Amino acid sequence: MKNTPIHLKNQKNIDESDLFKNEFKDIAPIEQDKIPPQRFSSKQNSGLTQKNKADLAEIKQAAAAFEFSDGFEGHFDINQPLKYVKPETDSHEVKRLRRGDYPPDLILDLHGIKKEEAKYEIAALIHVAQKKHVYCVSIMHGKGTYVLKKSIPNWLIQHPAVMGFHQAPKEWGGQAALLVLIDLPLHHAKY
């Protein structure tokens, strides 16, 4: 094609152009609909933010609905891994936690969080777990100063939705975490 005369090159371009036009002669051109692309105004953005704020408010309200007491202390055997079974709960379920049969569906990491804030976070976690039908959650308290590690079990045994907990297996945090079983509300089908 390098040695093709110019008049043949032009002829070839004209032929290709004619072929193209001939192929698409029955196609009508698209008219511009003159609808500008959608842009979100600050009012629409605030609507999305309002939903997030409403969800956050609901979680905070649920957390506030259950207050953990710092004056209550349960008895835990310091020579055993940290565990608790609610009296009406099957102790076998907590043994399954120890073995790692229940992987947590929600994980709450409390590293660096103050004690008072941790109370609200745990109450919110339990609320969300029940709302989303999550049976097992993990609370990572860390080792640190042992403030949370000592307080969290005492808080958990106060909550009516906590069926039991056990020190997490190594793959879920070991001595720095607890796996918690949540009692899920029953939803009766309407007939």
Side-chain angles (χ1 to χ4, degrees):
M1 215 173 185
K2 290 181 181 178
N3 296 332
T4 308
I6 293 177
H7 70 283
L8 291 177
K9 284 184 184 178
N10 288 342
Q11 181 64 33
K12 184 175 182 178
N13 287 340
I14 292 170
D15 290 342
E16 286 180 6
S17 177
D18 288 340
L19 283 172
F20 181 80
K21 288 177 185 175
N22 192 34
E23 286 294 319
F24 292 97
K25 67 182 175 191
D26 297 331
I27 306 294
I30 298 175
E31 290 185 31
Q32 172 62 29
D33 55 10
K34 303 209 173 37
I35 297 174
Q38 184 178 7
R39 294 194 178 137
F40 292 107
S41 70
S42 61
K43 289 180 184 175
Q44 288 169 321
N45 284 339
S46 67
L48 296 174
T49 308
Q50 291 297 338
K51 182 182 181 334
N52 292 341
K53 285 181 182 177
D55 289 345
L56 184 60
E58 180 187 344
I59 289 171
K60 285 184 177 180
Q61 183 179 4
F66 190 87
E67 289 286 328
F68 293 110
S69 169
D70 285 323
F72 182 81
E73 283 194 29
H75 173 72
F76 300 103
D77 188 351
I78 58 173
N79 297 318
Q80 298 289 324
L82 190 57
K83 65 181 176 182
Y84 165 76
V85 181
K86 192 174 187 177
E88 58 270 11
T89 302
D90 183 8
S91 63
H92 183 67
E93 292 296 299
V94 175
K95 288 177 185 175
R96 294 183 73 188
L97 275 180
R98 181 188 74 222
R99 291 193 309 250
D101 290 351
Y102 295 126
D105 291 316
L106 294 174
I107 298 173
L108 176 63
D109 188 351
L110 296 175
H111 286 90
I113 292 186
K114 296 184 185 297
K115 187 176 175 181
E116 288 304 311
E117 189 179 344
K119 287 182 187 181
Y120 293 113
E121 293 291 332
I122 292 170
L125 172 72
I126 294 169
H127 173 75
V128 169
Q130 286 189 305
K131 187 174 178 180
K132 294 188 176 201
H133 298 281
V134 171
Y135 187 59
C136 180
V137 298
S138 173
I139 300 175
M140 299 184 74
H141 48 71
K143 294 181 182 177
T145 61
Y146 291 98
V147 172
L148 291 179
K149 184 173 183 169
K150 182 181 177 192
S151 298
I152 290 172
N154 292 317
W155 297 335
L156 290 174
I157 61 177
Q158 297 173 46
H159 201 290
V162 173
M163 296 170 51
F165 58 81
H166 200 286
Q167 176 181 309
K170 286 186 181 182
E171 64 266 19
W172 297 110
Q175 294 179 1
L178 290 174
L179 292 183
V180 183
L181 291 178
I182 305 296
D183 189 17
L184 301 178
L186 296 174
H187 292 286
H188 299 288
K190 294 180 182 177
Y191 295 101

